[in-house]
Amino acid sequence: MRLSFLEPVYAEPGPYVSVYLDTSRNIEHPERAIALRWQRLRESLSRQGADRRLLNVLEEVVGTDTEVPGVHGVHGQTLFAAHGMLVLNGELPWPPEHDSARYSTLPDAMPLITQHVPEIPYMAASQGRGGDLAPHRPPARPAAGRTGAARRRRRRRR
């Protein structure tokens, strides 16, 4: 797996702001929903110690991923910033499990990396009366139109 796209993030010394935001546009009034999500994350970052200049840099690019080809308008955005500069504005092929923002010494790149992991099929052997082998594949991507909130509601009902 190639992670060279992360080089700009690690080229800067910390502290970093790492943001993962559902910027899906498959809902009514998506810009308002994105703005509300960002506002919650901005307040969280402020409480964590991020300065206003850094937050303003992020605010300029939040939700600018309007041309991202997500399935039925479902996708996400990730932002990394340090020292008043945006160091990465990334697109997520599907929304994050939940919106998050962290201000810390190191960038939180793992959610971005996991969305870029190649899907590797594997075989699992189950021993039973027939001794059958069953092919298994990695978990499927979220179905079109399902956001993090919809997945969480489904899990609670189970």
Side-chain angles (χ1 to χ4, degrees):
M1 173 194 315
R2 296 188 183 201
L3 300 175
S4 58
F5 67 94
L6 289 174
E7 286 177 8
V9 175
Y10 290 97
E12 293 296 320
Y16 297 89
V17 168
S18 307
V19 173
Y20 292 91
L21 183 64
D22 181 345
T23 54
S24 299
R25 289 176 169 77
N26 64 334
I27 59 173
E28 193 174 332
H29 308 295
E31 299 306 322
R32 185 173 9 163
I34 293 167
L36 287 171
R37 287 188 192 109
W38 165 244
Q39 189 59 40
R40 284 192 301 272
L41 295 179
R42 182 182 172 112
E43 290 167 4
S44 172
L45 287 168
S46 183
R47 286 190 304 274
Q48 294 174 52
D51 64 55
R52 180 175 287 162
R53 184 177 73 143
L54 189 55
L55 297 173
N56 289 341
V57 165
L58 292 167
E59 189 156 325
E60 289 178 19
V61 295
V62 164
T64 59
D65 59 343
T66 57
E67 301 300 318
V68 175
V71 178
H72 301 289
V74 177
H75 53 81
Q77 183 177 24
T78 184
L79 305 168
F80 294 90
H83 307 287
M85 297 183 328
L86 182 68
V87 294
L88 182 70
N89 180 358
E91 301 165 354
L92 300 172
W94 65 94
E97 185 68 25
H98 54 84
D99 297 331
S100 65
R102 191 169 92 183
Y103 182 65
S104 62
T105 307
L106 296 172
D108 180 19
M110 192 54 71
L112 176 59
I113 292 168
T114 59
Q115 285 212 19
H116 287 84
V117 171
E119 294 181 3
I120 303 170
Y122 59 93
M123 288 292 290
S126 59
Q127 188 167 0
R129 291 186 182 180
D132 297 331
L133 290 178
H136 291 271
R137 294 188 179 4
R141 300 274 195 263
R146 292 194 177 145
T147 64
R151 286 191 302 273
R152 285 189 293 280
R153 282 192 300 273
R154 272 196 348 268
R155 273 193 222 115
R156 277 188 236 128
R157 282 184 268 185
R158 288 183 186 165

